[in-house]
Amino acid sequence: MKLPLFGRYTFFALCVLLTLLSLPFLSTIGWLWPLTLVAAALSLLGIFDLLQHRHAVRRNYPILGNIRYLVESIRPEIRQYLIESDNEQLPFSRAQRSLVYARAKNQTADTPFGTLKDVNHTGFEFISHSMLPVVHGNPDEFRVTVGGPQCRQPYSASVLNISAMSFGSLSANAISALNKGAQLGNFAHDTGEGSISPYHLEHGGDLIWELGSGYFGCRDDNGAFDAERFAVQARRPQVKMIEIKLSQGAKPGHGGILPKHKISAEIAATRGIPQDRDCISPARHTTFSTPIELLQFIQHLRELAEGKPVGFKLCLGHPWEFMAIAKAMLETGIVPDFIVVDGKEGGTGAAPLEFTNHLGVPLREGLMFVHNTLVGVGLRDQIRIGASGKIISAFDIASVLAIGADWVNSARGFMFAIGCIQSRTCHTNRCPTGVATQDPLRQRALVVPDKAERVYHFHRNTMIALAEMLAAAGLSHPAQLEPHFLVHRLSATEVKLYSQMHAFLEPGALLKGEVQGEFYRRMWSMARSDSFEPAAPVAVS
């Protein structure tokens, strides 16, 4: 036998020999039993490894080859807890998670001995402060009224709310804790596209009902939109706004997926779907196919909801498509009450790697484009803008409010608040903390009253931190933030204000043809109110 071959099978052979040689002595030497049982179990594992056909490593290295898969299975935890630095963001750094944990537990989040960030590194950002700080504003007043001229029931929303996460993707206990926390803190809880479950309703927290392409909770037997079922849900007093999901940051243009092993009878009843197959949301809506039809659908929903605010959420893709919606607003006179811009960096569930890494526009670029377009067509004062995508801290909130948002939504921040440890097993139904699983025993570990308090404290303490940051900048309310408050480092020797780095359109500029910069003029010329398809661009000088 060649030495390499002997080396590969040595441990397996020793286990088999130990098992066989120890059998005659078991009746006389009692302490051999545990050793023999272990050796026998390993021998059986080695035989199975030799006979299986899926893994070449295990066939070549029986027993020992399993170590490779064991180590691989705990690699994320090893890296997260022992190897990565405090500021290494994969996708959230230890420092970011610790901040949320501390605020959720109502502990101090102050840190000693200065910043750990390299302030001279390209990309570093900060808020400029004032020589004359003001008295802190009241965090309870950090709210924005959502509802344009066509809305009869406007909603006063907090500047920080829970972003869209469905019952099904999250456990019943997680949904219940989030909604109870929202009720305690007087902020909104987005249902996600999985419809309104009993756990969204039991504590009375304000709801934003997200309506995806699957029309869960208001679909007929064929999966099409059912107006009567929608009206029943939308008129609930707890439902404050309705949000049409056009696309989401993690997988824009892909549709949602809920594996059948996570679909309980309760989820099936909530969504109105069968339980014996994966729940796949279509990538596009069936109720509209043009910008004008989208706005007509918005108007129809607003009427069915008795005048509650109706808007839509999207991760920006082709710029001319959003401008087409803006042109349709001008043509029809129908204006959504709000638009939520989701950045590609968002995402609580699983998505194809190519979508996660290489599809969709990041939050800030998408937000500035949406804001500029609405300003350029003279409609910005009628439409509120929400923003979502890796928002954790008060600085994260301030930075997006400064460049065009009216409020923000956070998903993973609130997941951390109820115990998520970023194990990245959300799609497996084996979440170790009971947040993203339908396993009754696993989710039992998530104690609703305790986690609801943490949701409330995270929101409250983040709002207090935002008030302190604003006061240092000489401001008393988030609405006073402007692009010139946000500073970005371009190189080791140069920093610029956001107002210097980016073009911000003047009111009505697109209508007047007074747009500086070729990009906005070209996209505007390509946009059509009757179609999402681009028109031939007009030549620009």
Side-chain angles (χ1 to χ4, degrees):
M1 180 180 294
K2 293 182 179 180
L3 185 61
L5 182 63
F6 177 78
R8 295 206 310 266
Y9 292 97
T10 298
F11 189 74
F12 171 55
L14 288 175
C15 289
V16 173
L17 284 173
L18 179 60
T19 302
L20 296 176
L21 293 175
S22 63
L23 287 175
F25 302 99
L26 291 179
S27 60
T28 57
I29 306 177
W31 58 265
L32 271 180
W33 275 100
L35 187 62
T36 303
L37 288 174
V38 171
L42 291 174
S43 298
L44 291 174
L45 176 62
I47 294 170
F48 177 76
D49 288 340
L50 288 171
L51 296 177
Q52 59 85 35
H53 298 282
R54 294 186 60 192
H55 302 290
V57 171
R58 290 168 60 191
R59 284 172 66 85
N60 274 330
Y61 298 89
I63 304 176
L64 293 178
N66 290 277
I67 296 175
R68 181 259 186 193
Y69 300 98
L70 174 64
V71 172
E72 184 180 51
S73 69
I74 61 173
R75 179 181 180 275
E77 288 79 8
I78 295 295
R79 179 178 180 84
Q80 180 171 299
Y81 290 109
L82 300 178
I83 298 175
E84 73 177 29
S85 69
D86 285 346
N87 290 305
E88 192 172 354
Q89 299 186 23
L90 295 171
F92 286 89
S93 70
R94 181 67 193 174
Q96 289 174 308
R97 300 194 304 275
S98 296
L99 175 68
V100 177
Y101 297 148
R103 287 180 173 163
K105 295 175 184 177
N106 214 21
Q107 299 171 348
T108 179
D110 296 346
T111 58
F113 223 64
T115 181
L116 298 179
K117 290 185 174 291
D118 180 0
V119 298
N120 295 311
H121 180 71
T122 300
F124 177 74
E125 292 184 339
F126 56 96
I127 295 286
S128 59
H129 67 281
S130 172
M131 294 289 288
L132 299 172
V134 300
V135 176
H136 298 173
N138 182 357
D140 294 334
E141 297 175 359
F142 290 0
R143 309 188 72 83
V144 56
T145 300
V146 183
Q150 299 162 358
C151 171
R152 301 195 305 275
Q153 297 188 54
Y155 175 61
S156 176
S158 170
V159 298
L160 172 61
N161 302 286
I162 301 172
S163 195
M165 294 179 286
S166 300
F167 171 53
S169 296
L170 297 194
S171 68
N173 283 12
I175 294 293
S176 186
L178 290 170
N179 194 258
K180 177 62 176 176
Q183 186 271 329
L184 292 172
N186 193 25
F187 54 96
H189 178 192
D190 194 311
T191 65
E193 68 173 308
S195 190
I196 304 170
S197 73
Y199 307 102
H200 287 100
L201 299 172
E202 65 176 323
H203 297 297
D206 291 350
L207 294 177
I208 301 171
W209 182 17
E210 182 177 89
L211 198 64
S213 55
Y215 305 117
F216 301 124
C218 59
R219 57 192 266 143
D220 62 20
D221 294 338
N222 297 316
F225 175 73
D226 187 312
E228 292 185 6
R229 292 180 180 178
F230 171 82
V232 171
Q233 295 272 48
R235 292 173 185 176
R236 291 179 182 272
Q238 199 174 332
V239 176
K240 303 301 182 181
M241 303 198 296
I242 291 90
E243 173 186 280
I244 303 168
K245 189 189 84 169
L246 302 183
S247 58
Q248 66 186 80
K251 44 182 181 284
H254 189 272
I257 301 173
L258 183 63
K260 66 179 180 181
H261 62 263
K262 293 185 72 173
I263 302 177
S264 64
E266 203 169 31
I267 292 169
T270 297
R271 295 193 176 204
I273 57 173
Q275 193 177 348
D276 61 349
R277 69 200 70 167
D278 292 345
C279 176
I280 302 176
S281 304
R284 57 184 290 176
H285 283 259
T286 57
T287 53
F288 57 85
S289 60
T290 69
I292 289 177
E293 289 176 355
L294 166 61
L295 294 176
Q296 291 170 341
F297 185 53
I298 288 174
Q299 181 62 21
H300 183 43
L301 296 185
R302 196 153 41 201
E303 292 168 356
L304 292 172
E306 298 183 328
K308 291 182 180 179
V310 179
F312 61 87
K313 177 179 86 172
L314 84 166
C315 177
L316 187 69
H318 298 316
W320 64 81
E321 292 183 345
F322 181 77
M323 284 189 163
I325 299 174
K327 282 190 174 180
M329 294 179 200
L330 298 173
E331 183 174 325
T332 63
I334 302 172
V335 178
D337 297 294
F338 65 92
I339 297 169
V340 175
V341 182
D342 198 15
K344 73 164 277 69
E345 60 269 48
T348 53
L353 184 66
E354 293 84 357
F355 279 70
T356 298
N357 288 346
H358 303 294
L359 208 65
V361 176
L363 173 58
R364 291 193 182 182
E365 286 76 9
L367 171 61
M368 285 189 288
F369 182 82
V370 169
H371 170 74
N372 266 334
T373 299
L374 296 179
V375 170
V377 298
L379 294 174
R380 182 63 180 87
D381 59 338
Q382 298 181 41
I383 303 172
R384 297 291 182 240
I385 298 179
S388 58
K390 289 195 77 170
I391 293 173
I392 291 287
S393 69
F395 174 76
D396 297 334
I397 298 172
S399 63
V400 295
L401 296 183
I403 59 176
D406 293 300
W407 86 85
V408 304
N409 297 329
S410 176
R412 287 169 290 185
F414 284 101
M415 286 179 70
F416 291 141
I418 59 175
C420 171
I421 60 172
Q422 196 173 264
S423 66
R424 304 185 73 186
T425 56
C426 308
H427 60 302
T428 66
N429 208 31
R430 296 194 298 271
C431 172
T433 58
V435 175
T437 178
Q438 299 309 309
D439 184 321
L441 290 177
R442 287 178 179 271
Q443 65 173 293
R444 184 175 176 272
L446 196 159
V447 180
V448 172
D450 174 63
K451 301 306 183 185
E453 288 288 334
R454 294 192 183 193
V455 170
Y456 164 70
H457 288 309
F458 169 61
H459 179 275
R460 177 68 179 175
N461 290 325
T462 303
M463 288 295 93
I464 291 173
L466 179 61
E468 293 174 342
M469 177 171 275
L470 292 174
L475 308 175
S476 57
H477 193 278
Q480 297 172 294
L481 282 163
E482 297 287 345
H484 61 265
F485 286 100
L486 184 60
V487 189
H488 183 92
R489 178 171 291 283
L490 298 173
S491 69
T493 58
E494 184 181 15
V495 298
K496 277 191 176 182
L497 309 179
Y498 254 68
S499 57
Q500 298 171 315
M501 290 172 54
H502 299 280
F504 289 91
L505 302 189
E506 294 295 324
L510 289 170
L511 303 179
K512 300 172 187 175
E514 300 174 352
V515 182
Q516 293 183 355
E518 186 268 347
F519 174 72
Y520 279 94
R521 282 183 287 167
R522 182 174 292 274
M523 293 302 105
W524 184 247
S525 71
M526 293 171 65
R528 302 166 49 189
S529 63
D530 64 335
S531 175
F532 286 109
E533 294 293 325
V538 176
V540 292
S541 57

